[in-house]
Amino acid sequence: MSVQSFQEHFDSLIDREVTIEPKDWMPNDYRKTLIRQISQHAHSEIIGMLPEGNWITRAPSLRRKSVLLAKIQDEAGHGLYLYSAAETLGVTRDSLYDQLHSGKAKYSSIFNYPTITWADMGAIGWLVDGAAIMNQVPLCRTSYGPYARAMVRVCKEESFHQRQGFEIMLTLSKGTDVQHKMAQDAFNRWWWPSLMMFGPPDAESPHTEQSVRWRIKRMTNDELRQKFIDVTVEQAKVLGLEVPDKDLKWNEERGHYDFGPINWDEFWNVVKGNGPCNKQRLETRKKAWENGQWVRDAAMAHAEKRKARKAEAAKAA
Ligand code: FAQ
């Protein structure tokens, strides 16, 4: 087959909504875009463990502690599915880790904000996992098979995460005055950064148009952000919390909420590494990686020993 007919075959698979699999021919830029997005997503999952990890030892009850621990472990698992999906595109996991640890790779801006009260655990589950689900449900139909299949499982777990966050917020909001204030304060601090998670406006998003054409992205940044706002504003009413946006207003004509301006300078500043916790997150991650070296060495030595023993037994038989 000529390159042109490979390209035609690829285009027809995309048009017919047939998933592209690792051994299929794909254009170089399609492969590059997937490696970029999937690896950034994987990095986000594991860096995303850190803000919540900050509260494991201080959770207010044994139940809250075990739920939080399980949730954070789930995020590690999501990272692993995603790194595996990226590896099917021909990159090594070590090279992806190198990019993260050297500060070259991006991960979601949201994880560079501090978690200063217990209510932040509720706000992260409710808003951050809520935004993640909104973005990831359409990705269950993304055109690359291994990514789509990873997303199915991730979304099931994320919906449990979202509910546990909502439940924390509900308990605090309906609790004492101080608890209610804590919930509102966390909402005030996490609302705008959560809206930024969806990425820059479509008009300033260099990748959206092509990614939508390739059906990697099934919806644009602005479409997903609007959907998230419409759903979450209603949830805030149930919680008895006030959305921290004085411009928020239902627009009958559009059938959506209008909302105030997002501070895109703040977003780009965080993406460039100057958010409140960028340095701390990367340092913590690198330290965990270095401290885990002996575990990786021991696992490799054990695997070598087993292999040698098996080879010896085969020789003796
Ligand atoms: N933060 O042209 P676009 C989670 C970058 S998982 C940092 O719009 P694209 C689970 C973008 O990479 C959260 N950088 O790009 C959890 C690009 O830079 P590049 C992560 C951002 O790819 C919960 C440039 O700006 N989810 O939360 C951000 O078409 C709780 C131009 O942007 C995913 O990764 C940002 N927010 O659209 C874990 C989902 N937004 O590469 C623990 C999969 C944009 O040219 C606790 N990813 N940038 O240097 C996607 O859907 C897309 O990649 C977007 C960005 C929508 C994030």
Side-chain angles (χ1 to χ4, degrees), residues 36 40 75 106-107 109 135 197 199 205-207 217 221:
R36 180 183 63 76
Q40 285 175 1
E75 309 297 1
K106 287 195 173 73
Y107 59 84
S109 48
N135 168 279
M197 280 177 76
S205 157
H207 303 301
K217 281 167 97 164
N221 300 357

Side-chain angles (χ1 to χ4, degrees), residues 36-37 40-42 44-45 48-49 52 71 75 78 106-111 124 128-129 132 135-136 139 147 158 161 196-200 204-208 211 217 221 267-268 271:
R36 180 183 63 76
Q37 177 166 327
Q40 285 175 1
H41 195 166
S44 304
E45 299 283 355
M49 296 164 73
E52 287 168 295
K71 181 213 188 280
E75 309 297 1
H78 298 174
K106 287 195 173 73
Y107 59 84
S108 184
S109 48
I110 192 77
F111 301 117
I124 290 183
V128 177
D129 286 275
N135 168 279
Q136 288 167 179
L139 288 176
Y147 192 23
E158 297 290 25
H161 298 170
M196 294 174 196
M197 280 177 76
F198 295 95
E204 286 150 41
S205 157
H207 303 301
T208 293
S211 287
K217 281 167 97 164
N221 300 357
F267 170 76
W268 288 116
V271 172

Side-chain angles (χ1 to χ4, degrees), residues 22-81:
K23 288 188 176 156
D24 290 340
W25 183 91
M26 59 186 87
N28 247 335
D29 285 344
Y30 176 82
R31 186 185 298 276
K32 264 171 46 191
T33 298
L34 281 170
I35 292 174
R36 180 183 63 76
Q37 177 166 327
I38 299 173
S39 62
Q40 285 175 1
H41 195 166
H43 299 325
S44 304
E45 299 283 355
I46 59 166
I47 295 283
M49 296 164 73
L50 301 176
E52 287 168 295
N54 186 30
W55 279 89
I56 293 172
T57 55
R58 292 176 287 162
S61 70
L62 187 58
R63 173 174 169 262
R64 293 289 187 204
K65 191 198 283 276
S66 50
V67 170
L68 186 63
L69 201 54
K71 181 213 188 280
I72 296 171
Q73 282 177 342
D74 283 351
E75 309 297 1
H78 298 174
L80 295 183
Y81 312 152

Side-chain angles (χ1 to χ4, degrees), residues 36-224:
R36 180 183 63 76
Q37 177 166 327
I38 299 173
S39 62
Q40 285 175 1
H41 195 166
H43 299 325
S44 304
E45 299 283 355
I46 59 166
I47 295 283
M49 296 164 73
L50 301 176
E52 287 168 295
N54 186 30
W55 279 89
I56 293 172
T57 55
R58 292 176 287 162
S61 70
L62 187 58
R63 173 174 169 262
R64 293 289 187 204
K65 191 198 283 276
S66 50
V67 170
L68 186 63
L69 201 54
K71 181 213 188 280
I72 296 171
Q73 282 177 342
D74 283 351
E75 309 297 1
H78 298 174
L80 295 183
Y81 312 152
L82 286 161
Y83 283 122
S84 300
E87 281 175 309
T88 64
L89 291 155
V91 277
T92 65
R93 196 174 298 205
D94 280 343
S95 73
L96 297 178
Y97 284 155
D98 279 348
Q99 286 171 22
L100 175 64
H101 298 156
S102 65
K104 259 201 274 169
K106 287 195 173 73
Y107 59 84
S108 184
S109 48
I110 192 77
F111 301 117
N112 293 304
Y113 290 85
T115 44
I116 57 184
T117 73
W118 170 252
D120 290 4
M121 299 303 96
I124 290 183
W126 174 39
L127 298 172
V128 177
D129 286 275
I133 296 171
M134 197 57 84
N135 168 279
Q136 288 167 179
V137 167
L139 288 176
C140 295
R141 293 184 300 114
T142 193
S143 57
Y144 187 56
Y147 192 23
R149 291 189 286 274
M151 282 300 106
V152 172
R153 177 142 177 205
V154 167
C155 284
K156 283 189 185 149
E157 292 175 353
E158 297 290 25
S159 70
F160 151 71
H161 298 170
Q162 196 269 353
R163 276 177 233 164
Q164 67 86 39
F166 187 85
E167 199 231 344
I168 293 175
M169 291 304 261
L170 192 62
T171 307
L172 290 175
S173 183
K174 306 284 176 203
T176 65
D177 278 357
V178 173
Q179 287 172 322
H180 179 83
K181 276 195 189 123
M182 234 165 97
Q184 182 66 53
D185 168 65
F187 188 16
N188 295 348
R189 284 180 292 105
W190 289 91
W191 173 247
W192 293 102
S194 300
L195 302 188
M196 294 174 196
M197 280 177 76
F198 295 95
D202 293 349
E204 286 150 41
S205 157
H207 303 301
T208 293
E209 198 185 329
Q210 181 60 68
S211 287
V212 168
R213 218 176 300 137
W214 276 326
R215 302 196 181 170
I216 292 175
K217 281 167 97 164
R218 307 301 308 230
M219 292 176 79
T220 72
N221 300 357
D222 286 335
E223 285 167 350
L224 288 169

